[in-house]
Amino acid sequence: MSATSGNTPGTPRVLRAMNDRAALDLLLEHGPLSRTRIGKLTGLSKPTASQLLARLEAAGLVVATGVTEGRPGPNAQLYAVNGRAAYAAGLDVTPRRIRAAVADLTGAVAGEFELATPKKAAGDVARQVTEALDGAVKAAGITRGEVRRLVIGTPGAFDPSTGRLRYASHLPGWHSATLLDELAAALPMPVEYENDVNLVAVAEQRLGAARGHADFVLLWNQEGLGAALVLGGRLHRGFTGGAGEVGFLPVPGAPLVRQVTRANSGGFQELAGAQVLARLAREYGVEDVPRGEHSEVAAELVRRAAGAGSGPYARLLDAFATGLATGLASLVAVLDPELVVLSGEVIVAGGEALRERVEAELGELAASRPRLVVGGVQRHPVLRGALESALAATRDEVFDTSRR
């Protein structure tokens, strides 16, 4: 590389870009800051901090947003990241609906939209995706072309060698060999695809219960049982993207399920998945078992059980906790994680009462004892994770001032 290249490490352009990125990250973390505060946090002199802010303001990346108040001396100008400098989008796909959202560069959600997708045909997927995205874009008051990146979360995972969705036979229309090409042709921005539970882990790592943790397991229980594995701060996806498909895990206390991908189930799913809660409730003598979708019924049963001190509901909660701990014990034995995050509608419904029971059971079944916590991102966690992933890539691109 030539010593005069604008991208040579140590050259003024690269050093300026590094300082710019550091300042922008601080503004994202702390909110509006004064020139003096930015200088102290970055270690830059006042003149250099002033030049940096002038440069970022001219580039449209920061905006003046008021002044300091209530302090001795003259009021200082405050600066913040310009959220309108770029937008990113996320989609959360399930068999019954697509939930979409657009966030500005600061991470603030600018628009949301939900598209029902009951019994749609395979040929409709590209249209469904664009319709859901356009609904969120319209709600945000922008155009589709202003979205810099889109991350789509689905059950299962796209096999990198074939481009086909695996481990999610219950998601109609998403298994075509040409689907990714069709979506690429329909969408003007770069698109990434990620497992839905992995995206929940992203949300928890950046915003929730796993902040500051480099090694953790997230156990998800909603429409299906799944896990996300974060090792050394990075998601472990496995060779085919199937790492964390723990619903297929053979476990004691459940029938041995064969041809699991065809059945779209496995031992752990049959032991502690949402679909078994209604049956368990009846076995333990619960008489008023509600009707409806498995995940909704299971969440309501667990919610009732968490508030019961004794009787059939208390026995149901104990049995559910034992089932969850049985599968977790295998993960803990192999991974020895620092932290286990319990998430998903069915688990969250049990709150601390369920968490305490799972932790006690796991202490009996596993040699190591990770700390168990309930997930902190409870509103649309898959969608929030998709937005965080899209925003991370968007910021890397937009905040790189060495290209300007």
Side-chain angles (χ1 to χ4, degrees), residues 286 300-318 349-350 353-354 357:
V286 174
E300 177 58 25
L301 287 169
V302 172
R303 188 175 295 109
R304 295 177 188 176
S310 61
Y313 275 114
R315 293 194 293 271
L316 171 64
L317 194 66
D318 287 340
L354 177 61
R357 284 170 169 79

Side-chain angles (χ1 to χ4, degrees), residues 96-108:
R96 297 191 300 275
R97 53 105 185 114
I98 299 177
R99 183 177 289 134
V102 171
D104 69 21
L105 199 55
T106 69

Side-chain angles (χ1 to χ4, degrees), residues 30 49 57 61 72 77 135 156 193 198-200 202 215 241 264 275 278 291 298 335 342 377 382 402:
H30 296 282
E57 193 170 16
L61 295 177
Q77 180 69 62
Y193 303 87
N198 282 348
L199 291 176
V200 178
V202 170
D215 295 274
N264 199 41
Q275 80 277 13
R291 297 180 179 274
L335 299 173
L342 303 176
V377 182
V382 175
S402 67

